[in-house]
Amino acid sequence: MGGSAAAAPPAPAWMAAGARRWLEEAGVAFDGSDRRAFNALPLAGARVSLAEGGRAVCSLRVTAELTDGEGNWHPGAIAAAADDVCAAAIMSVEGIIKVSVHYDISYFSPAKLHDSGELVAIGRQWMSTTRPKKDQASSKLQASISKGGDMDGESPAAAALRLAPVARRWLENPRESLARSREEGCGDAFNMVVMPGFRVSLAEPGRLVCSFRVPATVADADGRWHAGAMAAAVDNLCAAVAYTADGVHRFTINQAMSFFSPAEHGEEVEMDGRVAHRKGKLTAAVVEVRRKASGELVAIGRQWMTSTRARPEKNGESRSKL
């Protein structure tokens, strides 16, 4: 009568096998062609060591295709990989791939080209079996975002004339770099994938607005804009809009994304980014992603950045106290 509840039975073995196979075969195209979906890029070369009981563990070496202009593992590529691994972990106990509705990721130290090991980031994610619909965006959430804070003053007019065009050029041509220095041999291969054909319609201190048509290269296996690819684009826009305010190149320390409705392959979307708050070395930015034709909300991204890069500890020890 008063005994504890019986433990839930273990998930069928086919669920774990399906999760492992999904990670190892990430990127199978939705149209049945030989083209690989976006999932294939952030998980390229991933080796799965565990996928069962609500847990998925895999490893990979950071390739040049996943780096930013300084040769670091791009925060958006980390977010995209985390999104897929979260999906696989859930699949191992529920047998289905769920849809991302919100995630939060914190970055602790940079991972360089070919790096492996130590704590780089921690991601937390909410997922649903129901795809968000176009009319389900929360007006209360949008109101809270709009009250997130104002810029602590604007850059002088002379700086505006200099900085905004630099940010515009980088968004429209990711081969440009916002960084003050670039390591020899490093490129923006990942940015070239997640920011194809960006068109900037507004570039001013503390705000950038751009649009593009979702290409097949950033679509998932179902033909929708991959949540990780969207997060990577938001990360880049946040970095660019922060740069327009004071010309400082910043690094992401935390990003939160909320997804409201899917954007399909071929749809045109608009991204409106603004600086929400500045304090010392920290800058907060917010990006709203909408369908350009109707203005319907697709996602909202909030991001904290710092002008100081986190440094790895010696002997492979992480600085995190978690």
Side-chain angles (χ1 to χ4, degrees):
M1 295 289 293
S4 59
W14 67 264
M15 293 184 180
R20 175 184 289 271
R21 186 168 60 251
W22 187 80
L23 281 174
E24 292 176 340
E25 299 177 0
V28 174
F30 64 92
D31 56 8
S33 68
D34 292 334
R35 182 190 60 78
R36 305 291 281 176
F38 178 79
N39 310 57
L41 180 58
L43 290 177
R47 300 176 299 279
V48 182
S49 56
L50 177 69
E52 63 183 27
R55 188 180 180 201
V57 179
C58 61
S59 59
L60 58 84
R61 285 197 176 274
V62 180
T63 63
E65 291 76 19
L66 301 178
T67 59
D68 60 16
E70 296 184 309
N72 298 312
W73 194 6
H74 193 292
I78 298 175
D83 178 81
D84 288 334
V85 173
C86 283
I90 292 175
M91 184 182 184
S92 72
V93 290
E94 298 197 16
I96 58 174
I97 292 295
K98 293 194 173 183
V99 179
S100 301
V101 293
H102 179 84
Y103 82 79
D104 178 284
I105 187 164
S106 298
Y107 301 91
F108 297 93
S109 62
K112 289 286 187 181
L113 179 65
H114 304 312
D115 264 359
S116 61
E118 95 161 280
L119 181 64
V120 172
I122 292 179
R124 313 158 194 85
Q125 191 153 324
W126 284 94
M127 309 184 88
S128 170
T129 55
T130 304
R131 174 73 65 176
K133 295 181 179 179
K134 296 180 181 180
D135 59 354
Q136 288 183 332
S138 168
S139 59
K140 291 184 179 180
L141 179 57
Q142 294 180 59
S144 67
I145 291 297
S146 66
K147 297 177 181 178
D150 297 319
M151 289 176 55
D152 298 332
E154 294 185 348
S155 300
L161 293 175
R162 176 174 54 86
L163 300 177
V166 173
R168 175 193 289 267
R169 284 198 305 272
W170 180 66
L171 288 172
E172 294 182 338
N173 179 14
R175 289 190 177 90
E176 298 278 349
S177 179
L178 289 179
R180 295 186 182 278
S181 62
R182 180 192 293 272
E183 294 186 10
E184 185 176 357
C186 294
D188 279 292
F190 189 73
N191 289 336
M192 294 298 295
V193 174
V194 299
M195 300 196 320
F198 269 34
R199 301 178 301 279
V200 179
S201 57
L202 177 67
E204 62 184 26
R207 190 177 179 207
L208 286 166
V209 179
C210 60
S211 60
F212 83 114
R213 198 170 293 278
V214 179
T217 51
V218 296
D220 62 17
D222 294 318
R224 300 183 177 98
W225 194 6
H226 189 286
M230 193 186 309
V234 166
D235 178 84
N236 287 332
L237 185 56
C238 285
V241 76
Y243 182 86
T244 66
D246 57 13
V248 176
H249 180 56
R250 286 181 164 81
F251 308 99
T252 305
I253 54 176
N254 181 268
Q255 184 191 56
M257 291 286 300
S258 295
F259 303 95
F260 298 95
S261 62
E264 304 287 340
H265 164 223
E267 277 195 278
E268 189 172 15
V269 296
E270 184 173 77
M271 303 174 67
D272 188 338
R274 63 181 177 83
V275 171
H277 187 69
R278 294 164 63 196
K279 184 175 182 180
K281 294 182 178 181
L282 294 174
T283 296
V286 176
V287 172
E288 291 187 358
V289 184
R290 297 180 180 273
R291 287 179 173 78
K292 188 167 184 179
S294 64
E296 292 169 315
L297 189 63
V298 173
I300 292 178
R302 314 162 194 82
Q303 193 156 307
W304 281 98
M305 295 162 286
T306 179
S307 57
T308 303
R309 166 72 75 180
R311 296 180 180 178
E313 289 292 296
K314 294 181 179 180
N315 302 322
E317 295 181 357
S318 170
R319 301 174 68 188
S320 171
K321 295 182 180 179
L322 297 180

